[in-house]
Amino acid sequence: MASEHDTDRRAARVSAPTTAAQARDTLRDAILRGEYLPGERLVEAQLCERLQASRFNVRAALQDLSAEGLVEVQRNRGAQVRKVSMAEAVEITEVRMVVEGLIAARAAERVSPEQATELDEIGVLMRRAVEAGEYRRYSDLNVRLHALIRVIAGHQTADRIVETLRGQLVRHQYMLSLLPGRPQTSLPQHERIIAAIRDHDGKTAEAAMRDHIASVIEALRSMDYLGPA
């Protein structure tokens, strides 16, 4: 049985104030999960309560997320989740196409047998998800695949760039996942990327990744969607 002293120590840890970095990471995750919608105000008092953080640390977190492009801070108007227009989403994805092509090429150079096996396993799961019509699972596996490719590549600068850009596109990516036929289109593209990386073929891996993200751009443009996200 825990002593009263142990209980007090646990309570102290739970109630310890949140740092600016912790507040930033928690708020970032909430935005990426869609808990806050584009254009929604981020009220400092409410964030202080939710994050168990001081106003100073909440403001620092908001400034960091503003630098990442997730939050817009306006003088005398406070902060809100930044809206990204479809035109900007296309531009961001064009940058992703170049950077992720580089990442795929580097991954092909560095991939280990164990990592190649993991890539193949994700590819199999993606195909099963499409065949079963489990598109939410397919979307999750898509994120997992791209993340693994970045880990294999080990290019820290490119990884930071892609993660920042991905965060800005979270709502558009969700809309894209609902586009009829999109998983069936992207599955063979992902399988080509996996095969090229597994075969240590950097040029083909880069070309396959660029082709895949070019199709994402085409899908974004084809969506019957006007105005800001």
Side-chain angles (χ1 to χ4, degrees):
M1 180 180 296
S3 68
E4 183 176 343
H5 180 63
D6 290 337
T7 302
D8 289 343
R9 282 194 304 170
R10 283 198 297 269
R13 285 198 296 269
V14 170
S15 61
T18 303
T19 66
Q22 291 168 333
R24 176 200 63 214
D25 293 345
T26 301
L27 184 54
R28 182 197 294 114
D29 289 344
I31 292 172
L32 294 181
R33 287 195 303 268
E35 294 181 25
Y36 296 98
L37 299 178
E40 183 172 349
R41 288 190 63 220
L42 299 169
V43 181
E44 285 186 6
Q46 295 174 355
L47 293 175
C48 288
E49 182 176 356
R50 171 175 178 170
L51 302 173
Q52 294 295 294
S54 68
R55 191 173 290 267
F56 175 84
N57 283 341
V58 165
R59 286 177 179 171
L62 291 172
Q63 289 295 334
D64 284 350
L65 294 177
S66 174
E68 293 180 17
L70 285 178
V71 170
E72 185 176 20
V73 180
Q74 297 179 332
R75 186 167 184 174
N76 300 324
R77 296 185 61 184
Q80 66 179 27
V81 179
R82 192 169 80 86
K83 296 180 181 180
V84 176
S85 69
M86 184 59 74
E88 186 179 358
V90 168
E91 289 183 356
I92 290 171
T93 309
E94 288 172 340
V95 175
R96 275 189 58 205
M97 181 171 65
V98 176
V99 179
E100 291 207 49
L102 165 68
I103 289 171
R106 171 127 165 187
E109 296 172 1
R110 295 166 53 94
V111 65
S112 68
E114 294 78 14
Q115 290 168 331
T117 298
E118 188 175 356
L119 288 171
D120 285 336
E121 289 171 351
I122 295 175
V124 170
L125 293 174
M126 293 177 83
R127 176 161 288 281
R128 288 176 181 169
V130 170
E131 290 172 348
E134 297 175 347
Y135 300 138
R136 180 59 185 269
R137 174 161 173 73
Y138 177 80
S139 180
D140 292 342
L141 288 165
N142 180 14
V143 172
R144 180 180 163 192
L145 174 64
H146 283 268
L148 176 57
I149 292 171
R150 296 201 306 271
V151 168
I152 295 170
H155 196 302
Q156 295 183 7
T157 300
D159 189 41
R160 285 196 302 270
I161 292 170
V162 169
E163 193 62 22
T164 299
L165 296 176
R166 188 183 72 84
Q168 296 177 35
L169 292 175
V170 63
R171 182 160 174 78
H172 292 85
Q173 289 170 334
Y174 173 74
M175 294 165 57
L176 191 62
S177 71
L178 301 178
L179 194 66
R182 180 61 199 164
Q184 289 83 356
T185 299
S186 67
L187 174 63
Q189 296 169 353
H190 285 121
E191 290 175 333
R192 284 195 291 273
I193 294 167
I194 290 170
I197 293 175
R198 184 191 59 220
D199 294 343
H200 300 279
D201 187 342
K203 287 185 178 180
T204 301
E206 181 172 6
M209 181 64 81
R210 280 175 169 258
D211 287 346
H212 165 56
I213 298 184
S215 81
V216 172
I217 294 170
E218 185 178 335
L220 284 170
R221 287 175 171 154
S222 73
M223 285 194 296
D224 184 18
Y225 183 77
L226 299 174

